[in-house]
Amino acid sequence: MKYAVFTGATGGLGTLCVKELSRLANWMVFAGGTKEAELEKLGKLPNIIPVRLDVTKQESVNATLEIIKSYTNKLDAIVNFAGMTSFTSLIEGESVEAIEKLLNVNVVGTARVNRTFFDMLYQGHGRIINCSSESGWMTPQPFAGPYVLSKYAVDAYNDSLRRELIYLGIPVIKIQPGSYETNITQQVYENFDKTISNTKYYKKLLTKMKPLMMMELNQKNDSRRLVKTVIHAMESRHPKLKYRVGTGKLLAMLELLPEGGVDVVYKLIFGKQGHL
């Protein structure tokens, strides 16, 4: 039997991955999340042990560690899917608070989980899988600053950790998914509406931007492909260093341009705001 701890198991894509893993007889998954109702549902699945896990609190992670130790003395995989998103200006509203919150969950939470469970992972000669985003490698988009910088940080953390753990024979793999229809997508919609209602500088621009943003977020990427990719990363004898799944077509086209060219495209599409 193989053992894995899976964070973010009660939200969107993490839930789908855990449900698929429950069908595999060779895995026992400690499914960590903060939504009690979802944890209760996951607990009814075979091979799933639900645990209330808040990655922003060390005492919560320590409590999960003790639960895991009551079942096994080793881990074969740590899969970090706990994460948050946002849509906000970097110069208006609660932008600083948003940055702090996303860094705490997406980056520090990932590092905290890997640090706390590492001894058990080393004991099992296991691997670490960190969920980043297409935003972790693409040129940054306006009004996604807190999310983008957190995912850039996840990418940097992942690569630094990988180059450290090659000396211990522990694979570190990053998943860089595009947009999928989940509760996180709904959170972006809500943040957008809040931003456009409260903005002092960007109401005209955001009104123009909304249709393009909706088109990008409403891509019907097949979540089954992402789930299969995550399981492949968990089980492959020779996993890739990174997996990109469901990359947005419009955003991918921007990657063909130099940085200044991307700026020109944004100005041409949405126009200059000027002074009030």
Side-chain angles (χ1 to χ4, degrees):
M1 179 68 74
K2 292 184 177 182
Y3 295 89
V5 58
F6 201 115
T7 74
T10 58
L13 297 174
T15 301
L16 295 178
C17 292
V18 169
K19 286 181 177 179
E20 186 62 29
L21 283 165
S22 74
R23 299 185 177 97
L24 306 180
N26 59 322
W27 282 99
M28 179 69 73
V29 179
F30 299 94
T34 57
K35 299 175 183 175
E36 297 291 350
E38 291 300 321
L39 287 173
E40 186 175 345
K41 291 177 185 177
L42 291 175
K44 297 176 182 178
L45 299 175
N47 306 316
I48 303 298
I49 301 170
V51 289
R52 193 182 192 289
L53 173 58
D54 183 344
V55 300
T56 68
K57 294 180 171 57
Q58 185 64 52
E59 58 270 26
S60 178
V61 181
N62 289 344
T64 299
L65 176 64
E66 293 307 311
I67 292 172
I68 294 173
K69 283 183 175 179
S70 69
Y71 287 87
T72 178
N73 64 350
K74 57 99 174 180
L75 285 170
D76 297 278
I78 299 172
V79 187
N80 289 289
F81 257 67
M84 295 185 66
T85 188
S86 76
F87 185 96
T88 185
S89 165
L90 288 171
I91 56 170
E92 293 188 298
E94 300 177 347
S95 58
V96 175
E97 292 83 353
I99 291 171
E100 290 178 335
K101 191 171 185 178
L102 266 68
L103 287 176
N104 195 22
V105 176
N106 297 356
V107 186
V108 180
T110 295
R112 178 179 289 112
V113 166
N114 290 335
R115 172 64 187 92
T116 303
F117 297 129
F118 182 75
D119 288 345
M120 292 191 74
L121 187 83
Y122 184 72
Q123 185 70 25
H125 307 285
R127 63 189 59 184
I128 294 171
I129 299 169
N130 297 315
C131 185
S132 177
S133 166
E134 63 183 7
S135 295
W137 65 272
M138 288 180 160
T139 188
Q141 306 121 44
F143 306 103
Y147 180 70
V148 170
L149 69 88
S150 76
K151 290 303 185 178
Y152 262 63
V154 169
D155 264 34
Y157 164 80
N158 182 95
D159 294 350
S160 184
L161 181 65
R162 185 184 71 245
R163 288 169 183 155
E164 183 176 324
L165 295 188
I166 57 176
Y167 301 106
L168 301 180
I170 302 294
V172 180
I173 305 146
K174 62 185 170 187
I175 310 290
Q176 298 171 312
S179 178
Y180 291 84
E181 187 63 39
T182 67
N183 54 351
I184 285 184
T185 309
Q186 184 59 40
Q187 185 181 342
V188 174
Y189 294 151
E190 293 170 1
N191 288 343
F192 184 95
D193 291 337
K194 180 180 179 181
T195 301
I196 201 170
S197 296
N198 298 331
T199 181
K200 176 182 177 182
Y201 297 106
Y202 296 115
K203 193 174 292 289
K204 180 180 176 182
L205 184 150
L206 291 173
T207 301
K208 288 183 179 180
M209 180 181 287
K210 188 170 184 177
L212 281 176
M213 186 197 77
M214 297 282 286
M215 183 170 64
E216 187 70 14
L217 288 176
N218 286 334
Q219 290 185 107
K220 299 302 181 184
N221 285 322
D222 187 351
S223 58
R224 291 173 298 181
R225 185 178 169 216
L226 176 63
V227 171
K228 289 173 66 175
T229 299
V230 172
I231 293 175
H232 172 79
M234 293 174 67
E235 295 192 320
S236 174
R237 293 183 62 185
H238 303 288
K240 296 179 180 179
L241 301 184
K242 63 187 176 188
Y243 295 89
R244 292 176 178 172
V245 191
T247 301
K249 294 181 176 62
L250 290 177
L251 296 177
M253 289 175 65
L254 289 179
E255 295 303 308
L256 302 175
L257 301 175
E259 287 292 307
V262 176
D263 293 351
V264 170
V265 168
Y266 276 118
K267 283 194 286 188
L268 286 175
I269 294 175
F270 302 116
K272 187 177 180 180
Q273 294 301 287
H275 288 83
L276 296 176

